[in-house]
Amino acid sequence: MTKRKLTQNQKRRIHSNNVKALDRHHRRVKKEIDWQEEMLGDTQDGVVVTRYSIHADVENSQGEIFRCNLRRTLANVVVGDHVVWRRGHEKLQGISGVIEAIKPRENEIARPDYYDGLKVMASNIDRIIIVSSVLPALSLNIIDRYLVICENANIPAVILLNKVDLLTDEQWREAEEQLEIYRKIGYETLMISAISGKNMEKLTALLADGTSIFVGQSGVGKSSLINYILPEVNAQTGEISETSGLGQHTTTSSRLYHLPQGGNLIDSPGIREFGLWHLEPAQITNGYREFQYFLGTCKFRDCKHIDDPGCALREAVELGKIHPVRFDNYHRLISSREENKSQRHFMEQDIR
Ligand SMILES: Nc1nc2c(ncn2[C@@H]2O[C@H](COP(=O)(O)OP(=O)(O)O)[C@@H](O)[C@H]2O)c(=O)[nH]1
Ligand SMILES: [Mg+2]
Ligand SMILES: [Zn+2]
């Protein structure tokens, strides 16, 4: 008998059928409540503060939290979602109500899932905090990759440089110069230390407004920062990685925390280190905010912005209007994308 090779699509389909069958099984075993009209009160507004596999905790306008079932017809409900829900007249099997609808999202953050394509992880985010550090060495290339994601998701980004307690005066000045590249194009930056507490009051002030989320490579200090800000979260520090490159899930749920000084922090181990998904070249170009002014003024409409004659971006670099490091990183990002047509490779390739 010859072994038949499954195509990627067939594998995905099999996986997805499996997941659906398991889901039906869980619902039967758990005797999921069939909420009927007469068992429920009026619809009301709420915010999803924790998402578990089959439930979600919803907070009402008084700050009370109710564990809810999700209507089967609902798309993926995520932390940060504004929802319409109904409270049951009685609590049944520990469940207080049911989520009926998700309100339109202002934005969402997704990460690549090997089987399901892009998986939304959280929504309605006011700011993504990109954590980088001086150890492993500060990489502007990685910062740029995260910025491309933030720009495409239309979420403001703040760049943190952590572990500055390890810098000599000389190194401090060099790091400041590198961050200056980003300040010049309008990003907020902050040099901090989760160990010495340097500038942590500036970070907490920043977080006091709106909903924030931390992202960044493994080892940069995200868990340490979360523990500093919210000791009760007790995030594991120093671990190798919370997700595998294949987008496997951890059992830890995503959660929205209210900070003592105001503001919210969404902690989702699954997105702290989310991979870099397969972006189209146009999206990568859109991810460079200072390029936008010059785009469309290149001599050739199909300018690749490499060595094309009359390239407006290159001219802007020569005139000092675009930083050469950003332009180089842009080309690296475009070419690494071309070398790795398959999403899996793109996600796993060297981001160091
Ligand atoms: N020197 C120094 N080390 C830090 C700082 N923040 C975190 N670390 C260390 O860096 C390592 C990785 O930190 P962790 O919070 O687990 O990083 P994560 O992978 O981004 O969550 C741990 O050994 C931390 O103790 C800092 O500000 N200064
Ligand atoms: Mg961590
Ligand atoms: Zn061009």
Side-chain angles (χ1 to χ4, degrees), residues 5-22:
K5 260 197 154 176
L6 295 174
T7 68
Q8 207 65 269
N9 269 341
Q10 285 169 321
K11 281 188 208 159
R12 279 176 213 225
R13 204 170 317 125
I14 290 168
H15 172 83
S16 140
N17 287 340
N18 254 326
V19 169
K20 282 179 195 150
L22 273 175

Side-chain angles (χ1 to χ4, degrees), residues 41-47 58-62 64 66 82-88 96 98-101 103:
D42 281 346
T43 54
Q44 50 177 310
D45 293 342
V47 176
V58 174
E59 187 177 79
N60 70 4
S61 53
Q62 278 84 53
E64 299 163 307
F66 301 89
H82 293 260
V83 295
V84 174
W85 69 288
R86 292 173 77 182
R87 189 173 177 181
S96 302
V98 62
I99 299 177
E100 302 272 5
K103 295 191 179 177

Side-chain angles (χ1 to χ4, degrees), residues 102-318:
I102 307 171
K103 295 191 179 177
R105 291 172 179 156
E106 209 141 283
N107 55 43
E108 54 188 34
I109 186 163
R111 71 186 177 90
D113 183 284
Y114 184 51
Y115 294 104
D116 298 332
L118 281 182
K119 189 174 193 300
V120 177
M121 304 292 292
S123 69
N124 302 320
I125 299 146
D126 294 299
R127 136 182 358 93
I128 292 179
I129 311 239
I130 300 170
V131 186
S132 58
S133 85
V134 304
L135 186 90
L138 171 59
S139 162
L140 304 189
N141 189 41
I142 293 167
I143 291 179
D144 281 5
R145 284 164 179 252
Y146 280 111
L147 285 174
V148 167
I149 291 166
C150 296
E151 293 290 343
N152 278 282
N154 205 12
I155 305 173
V158 174
I159 300 160
L160 286 197
L161 180 58
N162 187 33
K163 308 195 191 181
V164 297
D165 55 289
L166 300 174
L167 295 176
T168 62
D169 289 350
E170 171 71 20
Q171 290 167 326
W172 177 285
R173 275 191 299 275
E174 280 169 22
E176 274 207 313
E177 270 171 33
Q178 292 185 296
L179 290 182
E180 180 63 19
I181 298 173
Y182 296 93
R183 274 197 299 275
K184 275 199 172 133
I185 51 175
Y187 292 111
E188 197 166 344
T189 70
L190 200 50
M191 293 172 84
I192 55 161
S193 168
I195 300 277
S196 75
K198 176 86 184 172
N199 283 336
M200 283 301 281
E201 73 289 349
K202 290 190 182 154
L203 177 60
T204 41
L206 188 74
L207 298 175
D209 182 36
T211 299
S212 307
I213 196 155
F214 285 108
V215 301
Q217 267 192 299
S218 175
V220 295
K222 296 176 300 299
S223 299
S224 306
L225 291 168
I226 289 165
N227 286 339
Y228 190 105
I229 296 155
L230 281 168
E232 67 270 26
V233 174
N234 202 12
Q236 293 278 307
T237 58
E239 76 271 60
I240 302 160
S241 178
E242 280 143 344
T243 57
S244 80
L246 293 184
Q248 260 136 21
H249 306 254
T250 55
T251 47
T252 328
S253 48
S254 305
R255 202 177 276 266
L256 182 144
Y257 296 93
H258 299 301
L259 301 174
Q261 73 276 16
N264 307 309
L265 183 64
I266 291 182
D267 186 33
S268 168
I271 31 178
R272 279 189 216 150
E273 285 158 26
F274 73 103
L276 297 146
W277 66 71
H278 189 88
L279 291 155
E280 295 302 321
Q283 291 177 297
I284 296 176
T285 312
N286 281 335
Y288 281 79
R289 55 162 59 163
E290 74 276 35
F291 292 7
Q292 305 312 305
Y293 178 80
F294 304 100
L295 289 171
T297 62
C298 297
K299 185 168 176 201
F300 296 106
R301 263 192 69 210
D302 61 348
C303 185
K304 297 271 181 293
H305 319 302
I306 301 171
D307 44 20
D308 315 49
C311 173
L313 291 184
R314 183 165 293 287
E315 280 164 17
V317 173
E318 281 155 15

Side-chain angles (χ1 to χ4, degrees), residues 324-342:
V325 166
R326 291 271 290 169
F327 199 50
D328 280 353
N329 287 346
Y330 168 72
H331 287 134
R332 282 172 69 182
L333 198 42
I334 294 276
S335 61
S336 66
R337 183 195 167 274
E338 273 158 16
E339 282 158 21
N340 301 282
K341 289 282 187 205
S342 107

